[in-house]
Protein backbone atom coordinates (compact mmCIF):
# COMPACT_ATOMS: atom_id res chain seq x y z
CA UNK A 1 0.00 0.00 0.00
CA UNK A 2 2.92 2.34 0.56
CA UNK A 3 3.96 2.06 -3.08
CA UNK A 4 0.43 3.01 -4.17
CA UNK A 5 0.46 6.12 -1.99
CA UNK A 6 3.82 7.36 -3.34
CA UNK A 7 2.69 6.88 -6.92
CA UNK A 8 -0.64 8.49 -6.11
CA UNK A 9 1.11 11.39 -4.37
CA UNK A 10 3.47 11.87 -7.30
CA UNK A 11 0.55 11.87 -9.72
CA UNK A 12 -1.28 14.39 -7.52
CA UNK A 13 1.74 16.70 -7.42
CA UNK A 14 2.08 16.45 -11.21
CA UNK A 15 -1.60 17.22 -11.78
CA UNK A 16 -1.51 20.11 -9.33
CA UNK A 17 1.57 21.57 -11.03
CA UNK A 18 -0.11 21.19 -14.41
CA UNK A 19 -3.32 22.79 -13.15
CA UNK A 20 -1.67 25.75 -11.44
CA UNK A 21 0.81 26.40 -14.23
CA UNK A 22 -2.04 27.07 -16.66
CA UNK A 23 -1.68 26.96 -20.39
CA UNK A 24 0.74 29.36 -21.90
CA UNK A 25 1.87 30.07 -25.40
CA UNK A 26 5.36 28.96 -26.34
CA UNK A 27 7.96 31.67 -25.88
CA UNK A 28 8.26 33.99 -28.85
CA UNK A 29 11.46 33.98 -30.83
CA UNK A 30 13.45 37.14 -30.21
CA UNK A 31 13.15 39.64 -33.02
CA UNK A 32 16.25 40.00 -35.17
CA UNK A 33 18.07 43.28 -34.60
CA UNK A 34 17.79 45.92 -37.30
CA UNK A 35 20.37 45.44 -40.04
CA UNK A 36 23.51 47.46 -39.41
CA UNK A 37 25.23 47.04 -42.77
CA UNK A 38 24.63 47.45 -46.48
CA UNK A 39 26.07 45.39 -49.29
CA UNK A 40 26.93 45.61 -52.98
CA UNK A 41 28.15 43.08 -55.53
CA UNK A 42 31.95 43.06 -55.73
CA UNK A 43 32.12 41.24 -59.05
CA UNK A 44 31.52 43.66 -61.91
CA UNK A 45 30.26 40.79 -64.09
CA UNK A 46 26.53 40.13 -63.78
CA UNK A 47 25.65 36.96 -61.90
CA UNK A 48 24.25 34.31 -64.22
CA UNK A 49 20.96 32.48 -63.67
CA UNK A 50 22.84 29.47 -62.30
CA UNK A 51 24.75 31.52 -59.70
CA UNK A 52 24.69 30.02 -56.21
CA UNK A 53 27.58 32.06 -54.79
CA UNK A 54 27.82 35.84 -54.62
CA UNK A 55 30.80 38.00 -53.72
CA UNK A 56 29.48 40.87 -51.61
CA UNK A 57 31.15 43.99 -50.31
CA UNK A 58 29.69 44.76 -46.87
CA UNK A 59 29.82 48.24 -45.34
CA UNK A 60 28.65 49.15 -41.83
CA UNK A 61 25.92 51.75 -41.75
CA UNK A 62 26.47 54.64 -39.37
CA UNK A 63 29.53 56.23 -37.87
CA UNK A 64 32.25 53.80 -36.83
CA UNK A 65 35.54 55.59 -37.35
CA UNK A 66 35.90 54.06 -40.82
CA UNK A 67 35.61 50.46 -39.64
CA UNK A 68 32.99 47.94 -40.71
CA UNK A 69 34.08 45.01 -38.55
CA UNK A 70 33.37 41.32 -38.86
CA UNK A 71 30.32 40.10 -40.81
CA UNK A 72 28.34 38.03 -38.32
CA UNK A 73 25.29 36.78 -40.13
CA UNK A 74 23.15 37.06 -43.21
CA UNK A 75 19.59 36.16 -44.09
CA UNK A 76 18.38 35.37 -47.59
CA UNK A 77 14.68 35.55 -48.45
CA UNK A 78 13.72 33.89 -51.72
CA UNK A 79 10.68 35.07 -53.69
CA UNK A 80 9.55 34.52 -57.27
CA UNK A 81 10.86 37.85 -58.58
CA UNK A 82 13.61 38.75 -56.11
CA UNK A 83 16.19 37.54 -53.65
CA UNK A 84 16.51 39.79 -50.61
CA UNK A 85 19.80 39.65 -48.71
CA UNK A 86 20.20 41.16 -45.24
CA UNK A 87 23.60 41.33 -43.53
CA UNK A 88 24.69 42.07 -39.95
CA UNK A 89 28.13 43.04 -38.66
CA UNK A 90 29.48 42.88 -35.12
CA UNK A 91 28.39 45.57 -32.69
CA UNK A 92 30.93 48.21 -31.71
CA UNK A 93 31.65 49.20 -28.11
CA UNK A 94 29.80 52.29 -26.94
CA UNK A 95 31.60 55.49 -27.76
CA UNK A 96 31.79 58.46 -30.06
CA UNK A 97 32.96 57.59 -33.57
CA UNK A 98 33.96 59.83 -36.44
CA UNK A 99 32.09 59.47 -39.71
CA UNK A 100 34.49 58.87 -42.58
CA UNK A 101 33.42 56.31 -45.16
CA UNK A 102 33.57 52.84 -43.66
CA UNK A 103 35.73 50.11 -45.15
CA UNK A 104 34.26 47.49 -47.48
CA UNK A 105 34.59 43.95 -46.15
CA UNK A 106 34.47 41.10 -48.71
CA UNK A 107 31.91 38.42 -47.89
CA UNK A 108 31.01 35.28 -49.84
CA UNK A 109 27.32 34.41 -49.69
CA UNK A 110 26.20 30.91 -50.65
CA UNK A 111 22.64 30.71 -51.97
CA UNK A 112 20.64 27.54 -51.31
CA UNK A 113 19.15 27.73 -54.81
CA UNK A 114 20.26 29.27 -58.12
CA UNK A 115 19.56 32.97 -58.59
CA UNK A 116 17.59 32.45 -61.80
CA UNK A 117 16.09 35.58 -63.34
CA UNK A 118 15.49 37.35 -60.02
CA UNK A 119 16.65 40.77 -58.91
CA UNK A 120 18.90 41.21 -55.87
CA UNK A 121 17.71 43.53 -53.11
CA UNK A 122 19.43 44.74 -49.93
CA UNK A 123 17.21 43.85 -46.96
CA UNK A 124 18.71 46.68 -44.88
CA UNK A 125 16.69 49.09 -47.01
CA UNK A 126 13.44 47.69 -45.60
CA UNK A 127 14.35 49.19 -42.21
CA UNK A 128 12.44 52.46 -41.63
CA UNK A 129 15.67 54.16 -40.54
CA UNK A 130 17.16 53.58 -44.00
CA UNK A 131 14.35 55.28 -45.89
CA UNK A 132 15.57 58.28 -47.82
CA UNK A 133 19.26 57.37 -47.64
CA UNK A 134 21.32 57.44 -50.82
CA UNK A 135 22.36 53.81 -50.39
CA UNK A 136 18.69 52.78 -50.36
CA UNK A 137 17.55 54.74 -53.37
CA UNK A 138 15.58 52.50 -55.68
CA UNK A 139 14.38 50.49 -52.67
CA UNK A 140 17.73 48.78 -52.16
CA UNK A 141 17.85 47.24 -55.65
CA UNK A 142 21.43 46.06 -56.15
CA UNK A 143 21.08 44.13 -59.42
CA UNK A 144 18.39 43.17 -61.89
CA UNK A 145 18.53 40.73 -64.82
Amino acid sequence: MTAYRSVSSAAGIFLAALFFSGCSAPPEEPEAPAPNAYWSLLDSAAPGPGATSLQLGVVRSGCSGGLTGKVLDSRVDYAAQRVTITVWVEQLPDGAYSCPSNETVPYTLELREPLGERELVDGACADPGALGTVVCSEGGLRWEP
Side-chain angles (χ1 to χ4, degrees):
M1 189 146 205
T2 307
Y4 174 74
R5 283 188 186 175
S6 63
V7 170
S8 176
S9 296
I13 292 170
F14 172 77
L15 289 174
L18 186 63
F19 176 76
F20 288 111
S21 68
C23 295
S24 62
E28 292 183 25
E29 285 189 33
E31 216 174 283
N36 62 354
Y38 302 104
W39 62 268
S40 61
L41 289 173
L42 285 181
D43 191 352
S44 60
T52 57
S53 181
L54 300 172
Q55 297 300 313
L56 306 181
V58 177
V59 178
R60 175 185 298 277
S61 61
C63 299
S64 64
L67 301 175
T68 290
K70 180 181 176 184
V71 177
L72 295 179
D73 197 11
S74 61
R75 183 181 72 218
V76 181
D77 296 308
Y78 300 87
Q81 300 298 314
R82 73 175 39 155
V83 174
T84 303
I85 301 166
T86 309
V87 180
W88 289 269
V89 294
E90 65 188 343
Q91 294 295 319
L92 294 175
D94 289 339
Y97 294 93
S98 61
C99 289
S101 297
N102 296 330
E103 67 182 329
T104 300
V105 174
Y107 178 70
T108 302
L109 177 73
E110 299 297 332
L111 301 173
R112 72 168 191 253
E113 58 188 63
L115 178 59
E117 294 296 324
R118 296 179 279 191
E119 60 190 21
L120 292 171
V121 176
D122 190 335
C125 295
D127 182 57
L131 295 175
T133 62
V134 173
V135 75
C136 287
S137 63
E138 299 182 44
L141 181 65
R142 299 291 185 251
W143 180 83
E144 62 185 340

